Amino acid sequence: ECAAHLALWCAQQGRFDAALRLAGFSEASNAESGQPAEGLAQRSLQHAEAAARESLDGNDIARLKAEGGCLRRDDVAAVAFGVLAD
């Protein structure tokens, strides 16, 4: 899924708030469809979260992922490309 890869891309730029919101969106979308992330998408999510864990605590990570779970599909690009504030 695109959001998983965008999450990794944001994490690689040090934009952990955006990365975790996108990861939360991706996970919520996968749960809704009943299809968990697999392959590259799964690894992208794992690497994005691992990078964020180096800078953020567990409460912030959980909060940001929960916020991402509430995003609309139309918000994904705005979060990824910085149109919505981190």
Side-chain angles (χ1 to χ4, degrees), residues 12-74:
Q12 290 171 333
Q13 295 179 9
R15 296 179 54 236
F16 301 121
D17 288 7
L20 291 168
R21 286 184 181 115
L22 292 167
F25 171 82
S26 179
E27 291 172 358
S29 295
N30 292 338
E32 186 177 305
S33 71
Q35 297 185 1
E38 297 178 330
L40 289 176
Q42 181 181 29
R43 285 193 291 280
S44 290
L45 291 172
Q46 290 169 342
H47 289 292
E49 189 166 332
R53 284 192 184 283
E54 295 178 14
S55 296
L56 301 173
D57 69 30
N59 291 330
D60 288 334
I61 290 170
R63 176 183 54 80
L64 290 164
K65 288 177 75 174
E67 288 174 11
C70 297
L71 291 174
R72 296 173 300 128
R73 187 166 300 280
D74 293 343

Side-chain angles (χ1 to χ4, degrees), residues 2 6 9-10 15 17-19 21-22 71-86:
C2 181
L6 288 171
W9 180 72
C10 288
R15 296 179 54 236
D17 288 7
R21 286 184 181 115
L22 292 167
L71 291 174
R72 296 173 300 128
R73 187 166 300 280
D74 293 343
D75 296 330
V76 169
V79 170
F81 300 111
V83 178
L84 295 179
D86 277 347

